[in-house]
Amino acid sequence: KHFVGVISVALTVFAAVTSSCNPQGDFNLPVFVTSGDFTIGGIFPLHYRVELPPTDYIKRPLAAQCQWFDPRAFRWALTMTLAVEEINNRKDLLPNHTLAYSIFDSCATPVTAQKAVLSVLNGQDVVQSVICSGASTLLGLIGESGSSQSIVVSRTLEPFRIPMISYFSTCSCLSDRKQFPTFFRVVPNDDYQVKAIAQLLKRFDWTWVGVVTEDHDYGRFALQGLKREIENTDICLAYHEMIPKDYTQEQVLKILKVMKESSAKVVVVFSGEGEFYPFLREFVTQNITGIQWIASEAWVTASILAETYPFLDGTIGFAIRQGHIPGLLNYLKTVTPERYPSNPQVQELWEALYGCSPSTSSLKSHLPSCTGKETLRQEHSAYMNTSSPRVTYNVYKAVYAFAHSLHNLIHCKPGNGPFENFSCANLNNVFPWQLQHYLQEISFSVSGENVNFDVKGDSIPSYDLINWQRHANGDIQFVKVGLYDGAQQTGRELLIVEQAIMWSHQQNKVPVSVCSNSCTPGFRKAVRRGQPLCCFDCIPCDIGKISNQTDCLSCPEDYWSNVNGTICVPKVVEFLSHDAMGITLTLIAVVGAFLTVTVLVIFLYNRGTPIVRVNNSELSFFILMSLTLCFLCALVFIGEPTSWSCMLRHTAFSITFSLCISCILGKTLVVLAAFTATRPGNNIMKWLGPTQQRIIIFCCTLVQVVICTAWLTISPPFPYRNTKYQQSKIILDCSVGSDLAFWCVLGYIGLLACVCFFLAFLARKLPGNFNEAKYITFSMLIFCAVWLAFVPAYVSSPGKFTTAVEIFAILASSFGLLFCLFTPKCYIILLKPEKNTKQHLMGKFTK
């Protein structure tokens, strides 16, 4: 590192010697120079551009020509002289010491800026001499405006450890302390500016923007920062064009062609006014309209652009915060050719401001001599515009930063110093690196603002949002319409007064700059292949999803999209309610129960007749009562399921049917035993008396009760909201809880029915005119057929139809039992009472 440092210093000194000490070479003369105890330099772009005439590469290039005088930059230089004079006249700041300055012109290019800083380092005197005047006493430097120039200047000063404070260089690259250890600035770096611009684009929904940058580090790093800020947003760059360093009309026309053909109506420009001015000169000729310009801080307050190009009205951008400089306007008025008769820059300023050659001028000019009646030229009115100093105020702060640092250095107390052995700086031989130590720690107030630097040499990030508005009298005004404060919480940095903004072409409506219009509700974006994300087609959302104009979002589980796909509405809750189907099933169940009760009444009324008494009338009454409950339990299946209804519907159904089938089983056994008992020596009937029949019925029913009890205890049925079967509906049904228990219940009923069917089938050919076994066989056949058909229908039926199928199975099997078992008996009781005799029933009736 030491070797590299020595080589760097040697090369810099060599460059300084060859550039400034060659008596036949070209060197910069200072614009202003004074003497004092401590010297600080200043470099300002007093001209826009250096134009190099054609050169013969064999011979040495001709001297560069600075052109396009910049009165605004000249005002910056004069602000430095004003600040130094103020400080020298103060008693509380640097008492008994004076500041000196040496100000040079950079011509707004890195090459000339390097020449200027080498001239400052070599202590060039105003009077040209063939002998080098030796090393200067430079302690610090104020400059430069352009980031590319500041990079060159900082790297030139770094081997000498001379601190510099920039008043207008914003490139984020300059915050790198490893590359630029002596660089400070009183302007925020571009990381904050691009954050502010990105938030501005988001605020106004500008998702399709073009970017134009200068071909320097300032433009390159600003573009990188902007891309980084918009990386995860909906903002896309339609194009990025770079104003070439070596300005040619052909290259600029290519850029303008891209801008003209692009649909982007918002253009962000990162460029200094010197590079942007000739670009706009060509822009005027291309008839490009409808552009909303977003200005970087480098040109957002450039009055010369605002006054020269009216189509820039409505431009909006972030400017560094303004301040107050007392007495600046009056001081500028004192800078006249009479006061500086030998200063060519003052003579040039006068010609630029008033369009005439002062009588004291030593320059050759084609302009007429001044008469004293001339007025300030409109295109250079920026020189006298001190109403809202911004860059000018930064120069003012930079001078005071050096002054306060020197003040603290001077008042260091030996033994409490910051250097080796707690020593202080030698006031007779102050080194620049000693001044930098105090500069890093400085904190002071100027014009009510606190000034300090962070560890990277940056100042507090803060911007004003400026809007270019032209008044009725034609005057352009830079109106503050908002601010950006980087010290605020994330998301609250940007504040905009939208009502105060005047957009391009005197419009009050926010311009639109999108590649594709936002999708209407119910549609989503579909990115076009090979194009940026901001260019898309709009396609309808899938059913069950709604759009937020970006993507389709699924509705919550209990919601569904409306027809247009714009909002989520509650899903239709479907269950077997008392609608047409529910009422129909209810009526059928009630009719079935009524018919069963009617049969029961008929049997009770005729309970003494043979046909009722045959095969134990008590069992017939039990069957009729259980069938009534079977019909009525179907009603529990209708209506919104609840915890109690879900448990009741399955248990009631299973127990009542088990009771009914158990009674039929008992009757079948009695029929079979009755005819078997007629054989000699058979005493089976004594084992199937009324008591035994009740025990059989009770035990068969008890098994089902035990199964249901275990079911309700371990995993009872519960209400279930099924959102998977039909996505647009919520099917509210009863989950069986335990599938095993459910099928055990049905299986047990089926087992009883099969046993009953088998026994009845065996007794179907027994003698007698009224063999009840035949009707039991047929009823069990119907019962089994219904419930066998129920299984596939139950599994495949959707929604409320599942419940309807179960109700239908209950009702169909109940009606089958009722009609098959009791219709023949009722027929005899009501229509054929002559057959209601014991002889006829036993088959012994004869003519």
Side-chain angles (χ1 to χ4, degrees):
K1 291 182 180 178
H2 177 71
F3 176 77
V4 173
V6 171
I7 294 298
S8 177
V9 172
L11 290 175
T12 305
V13 173
F14 177 76
V17 171
T18 56
S19 176
S20 297
C21 293
N22 187 341
Q24 296 179 351
D26 303 320
F27 57 88
N28 291 39
L29 294 178
V31 179
F32 295 103
V33 63
T34 60
S35 59
D37 298 330
F38 306 107
T39 302
I40 57 175
I43 299 179
F44 299 91
L46 302 182
H47 294 83
Y48 282 171
R49 182 177 293 276
V50 174
E51 292 187 354
L52 297 176
T55 60
D56 182 348
Y57 288 97
I58 299 176
K59 297 181 180 180
R60 190 164 182 257
L62 297 177
Q65 300 293 320
C66 291
Q67 299 194 359
W68 298 340
F69 185 74
D70 186 358
R72 186 174 74 140
F74 196 77
R75 185 183 69 222
W76 301 343
L78 291 178
T79 301
M80 179 175 175
T81 66
L82 168 64
V84 170
E85 291 179 16
E86 275 187 5
I87 293 167
N88 289 339
N89 291 328
R90 290 178 59 170
K91 302 299 182 182
D92 59 332
L93 189 60
L94 294 179
N96 303 320
H97 294 83
T98 57
L99 277 179
Y101 54 78
S102 183
I103 299 176
F104 284 78
D105 182 8
S106 71
C107 291
T109 64
V111 174
T112 318
Q114 186 177 41
K115 284 191 174 184
V117 70
L118 291 174
S119 298
V120 175
L121 288 171
N122 281 281
Q124 201 81 32
D125 201 356
V126 177
V127 181
Q128 182 178 354
S129 172
V130 296
I131 302 174
C132 290
S133 57
S136 71
T137 57
L138 183 70
L139 292 179
L141 181 75
I142 295 176
E144 228 275 13
S145 63
S147 295
S148 296
Q149 295 91 284
S150 288
I151 289 173
V152 172
V153 171
S154 180
R155 285 176 173 166
T156 305
L157 294 176
E158 191 271 331
F160 304 101
R161 301 175 68 182
I162 298 176
M164 67 174 289
I165 302 177
S166 174
Y167 51 86
F168 208 19
S169 297
T170 59
C171 180
S172 58
C173 58
L174 289 164
S175 295
D176 187 347
R177 267 292 186 247
K178 291 183 179 180
Q179 294 191 55
F180 308 101
T182 63
F183 180 82
F184 295 82
R185 54 183 158 193
V186 287
V187 60
N189 76 56
D190 278 336
D191 281 344
Y192 295 99
Q193 180 184 201
V194 295
K195 286 181 181 179
I197 291 178
Q199 289 193 24
L200 181 69
L201 297 176
K202 295 176 191 176
R203 179 68 171 269
F204 293 111
D205 295 324
W206 292 327
T207 59
W208 190 236
V209 298
V211 178
V212 176
T213 67
E214 62 178 39
D215 189 12
H216 289 295
D217 292 299
Y218 169 69
R220 296 189 193 99
F221 278 89
L223 176 64
Q224 291 178 12
L226 183 61
K227 286 182 177 179
R228 183 174 60 252
E229 290 299 320
I230 66 175
E231 185 175 6
N232 296 320
T233 67
D234 295 332
I235 303 171
C236 302
L237 297 186
Y239 57 84
H240 163 235
E241 298 296 332
M242 191 174 291
I243 302 174
K245 289 181 182 178
D246 299 326
Y247 185 89
T248 63
Q249 186 181 33
E250 181 182 0
Q251 289 177 305
V252 172
L253 290 177
K254 288 181 180 179
I255 298 174
L256 296 177
K257 181 181 179 182
V258 173
M259 296 180 64
K260 191 172 186 178
E261 294 176 352
S262 174
S263 59
K265 298 303 180 182
V266 172
V267 179
V268 182
V269 180
F270 293 103
S271 174
E273 60 183 282
E275 288 78 7
F276 197 39
Y277 188 94
F279 176 84
L280 293 175
R281 191 168 52 193
E282 294 294 340
F283 183 89
V284 175
T285 65
Q286 298 303 306
N287 192 30
I288 303 175
T289 59
I291 298 295
Q292 174 62 51
W293 300 92
I294 307 296
S296 67
E297 93 298 327
W299 65 277
V300 71
T301 56
S303 298
I304 188 171
L305 298 181
E307 294 164 354
T308 307
Y309 301 111
F311 62 83
L312 292 176
D313 293 355
T315 294
I316 191 170
F318 292 95
I320 53 181
R321 298 291 293 272
Q322 69 181 41
H324 173 66
I325 305 176
L328 176 60
L329 181 59
N330 292 331
Y331 183 81
L332 296 178
K333 292 178 179 179
T334 64
V335 181
T336 62
E338 291 76 18
R339 182 180 176 186
Y340 299 95
S342 60
N343 192 313
Q345 274 75 20
V346 175
Q347 314 299 320
E348 190 175 5
L349 169 69
W350 203 259
E351 292 181 0
L353 294 180
Y354 295 100
C356 63
S357 178
S359 57
T360 58
S361 175
S362 59
L363 301 176
K364 294 182 180 180
S365 176
H366 63 280
L367 297 175
S369 298
C370 295
T371 63
K373 297 181 180 179
E374 291 79 12
T375 57
L376 189 66
R377 295 172 68 179
Q378 182 67 25
E379 62 269 24
H380 291 308
S381 61
Y383 174 73
M384 288 295 183
N385 184 6
T386 61
S387 59
S388 57
R390 298 180 187 278
V391 183
T392 305
Y393 178 59
N394 282 349
V395 175
Y396 189 74
K397 289 192 294 184
V399 177
Y400 268 89
F402 274 126
H404 280 278
S405 300
L406 285 168
H407 182 85
N408 293 342
L409 182 147
I410 292 170
H411 288 82
C412 173
K413 295 181 180 180
N416 293 323
F419 307 119
E420 187 177 2
N421 297 325
F422 304 102
S423 62
C424 297
N426 183 0
L427 297 185
N428 295 321
N429 188 22
V430 178
F431 291 99
W433 60 267
Q434 293 175 321
L435 177 61
Q436 179 176 345
H437 171 82
Y438 287 95
L439 190 62
Q440 184 69 66
E441 304 295 330
I442 198 67
S443 180
F444 65 96
S445 294
V446 58
S447 298
E449 178 186 353
N450 186 54
V451 179
N452 52 41
F453 301 101
D454 62 19
V455 292
K456 296 182 179 180
D458 293 331
S459 59
I460 299 174
S462 182
Y463 298 95
D464 289 336
L465 183 61
I466 301 300
N467 180 220
W468 292 16
Q469 298 183 7
R470 191 172 297 276
H471 292 182
N473 59 3
D475 293 340
I476 192 74
Q477 295 291 329
F478 299 142
V479 180
K480 179 180 175 181
V481 294
L483 59 89
Y484 178 89
D485 187 354
Q488 294 293 328
Q489 296 178 357
T490 302
R492 301 180 61 182
E493 302 97 333
L494 183 60
L495 177 64
I496 302 178
V497 183
E498 296 186 25
Q499 300 84 349
I501 299 176
M502 182 66 70
W503 302 104
S504 59
H505 305 292
Q506 303 294 313
Q507 298 293 318
N508 292 321
K509 186 178 180 180
V510 178
V512 176
S513 184
V514 296
C515 181
S516 301
N517 291 322
S518 298
C519 294
T520 56
F523 291 79
R524 69 173 180 87
K525 296 179 180 179
V527 179
R528 298 170 185 167
R529 181 172 296 181
Q531 296 191 27
L533 295 177
C534 299
C535 301
F536 52 84
D537 296 317
C538 294
I539 61 176
C541 290
D542 296 334
I543 297 175
K545 295 183 177 181
I546 62 170
S547 72
N548 59 356
Q549 300 180 351
T550 302
D551 199 1
C552 293
L553 304 176
S554 297
C555 291
E557 186 177 21
D558 291 346
Y559 289 81
W560 194 249
S561 61
N562 62 351
V563 177
N564 298 324
T566 55
I567 59 172
C568 289
V569 296
K571 288 183 178 179
V572 176
V573 179
E574 183 180 88
F575 56 90
L576 186 57
S577 61
H578 294 90
D579 54 6
M581 182 186 296
I583 292 174
T584 301
L585 293 174
T586 300
L587 289 176
I588 294 174
V590 171
V591 169
F594 176 76
L595 290 176
T596 306
V597 172
T598 302
V599 173
L600 178 60
V601 171
I602 293 172
F603 269 50
L604 286 173
Y605 184 77
N606 297 278
R607 61 183 177 274
T609 62
I611 200 166
V612 175
R613 295 178 61 188
V614 68
N615 296 337
N616 195 341
S617 61
E618 185 179 278
L619 291 180
S620 298
F621 295 144
F622 273 129
I623 292 173
L624 288 171
M625 286 188 293
S626 61
L627 277 177
T628 303
L629 294 176
C630 288
F631 279 114
L632 294 178
C633 77
L635 302 178
V636 185
F637 287 79
I638 302 173
E640 183 176 355
T642 63
S643 298
W644 288 103
S645 66
C646 286
M647 290 188 289
L648 180 62
R649 62 170 59 172
H650 289 99
T651 53
F653 146 72
S654 60
I655 293 174
T656 53
F657 263 93
S658 296
L659 175 62
C660 181
I661 302 301
S662 297
C663 293
I664 296 174
L665 178 61
K667 182 179 283 290
T668 305
L669 289 172
V670 171
V671 171
L672 187 62
F675 284 96
T676 303
T678 58
R679 299 173 183 173
N682 195 326
N683 297 322
I684 192 173
M685 283 303 298
K686 70 177 182 179
W687 298 104
L688 285 174
T691 302
Q692 287 78 9
Q693 294 174 21
R694 296 189 192 102
I695 292 174
I696 291 173
I697 295 171
F698 175 77
C699 291
C700 291
T701 307
L702 181 62
V703 173
Q704 189 71 289
V705 171
V706 171
I707 296 174
C708 291
T709 303
W711 184 9
L712 296 179
T713 303
I714 298 173
S715 181
F718 58 90
Y720 172 62
R721 299 168 67 88
N722 188 345
T723 59
K724 306 299 181 184
Y725 191 84
Q726 282 186 289
Q727 294 183 340
S728 61
K729 296 179 181 180
I730 298 176
I731 300 174
L732 189 57
D733 198 3
C734 285
S735 173
V736 295
S738 171
D739 291 330
L740 177 62
F742 176 70
W743 292 111
C744 283
V745 164
L746 292 183
Y748 182 70
I749 295 174
L751 177 63
L752 291 178
C754 290
V755 171
C756 190
F757 171 77
F758 177 74
L759 295 176
F761 182 79
L762 294 177
R764 71 188 186 283
K765 294 184 178 181
L766 294 176
N769 289 328
F770 189 80
N771 186 356
E772 199 171 10
K774 292 186 292 185
Y775 301 113
I776 294 175
T777 302
F778 190 64
S779 66
M780 287 298 101
L781 187 62
I782 294 176
F783 183 89
C784 292
V786 168
W787 285 101
L788 286 175
F790 160 78
V791 174
Y794 179 83
V795 173
S796 61
S797 298
K800 63 182 180 180
F801 297 103
T802 302
T803 306
V805 166
E806 191 168 359
I807 295 175
F808 175 80
I810 294 172
L811 296 178
S813 57
S814 299
F815 274 111
L817 294 175
L818 178 65
F819 290 147
C820 289
L821 294 177
F822 295 98
T823 300
K825 294 181 180 182
C826 290
Y827 173 76
I828 292 174
I829 292 172
L830 298 177
L831 300 178
K832 298 291 183 178
E834 66 276 8
K835 295 182 178 182
N836 191 1
T837 63
K838 184 176 181 180
Q839 291 78 6
H840 180 269
L841 296 178
M842 297 304 295
K844 297 179 180 180
F845 178 78
T846 59
K847 294 181 181 180

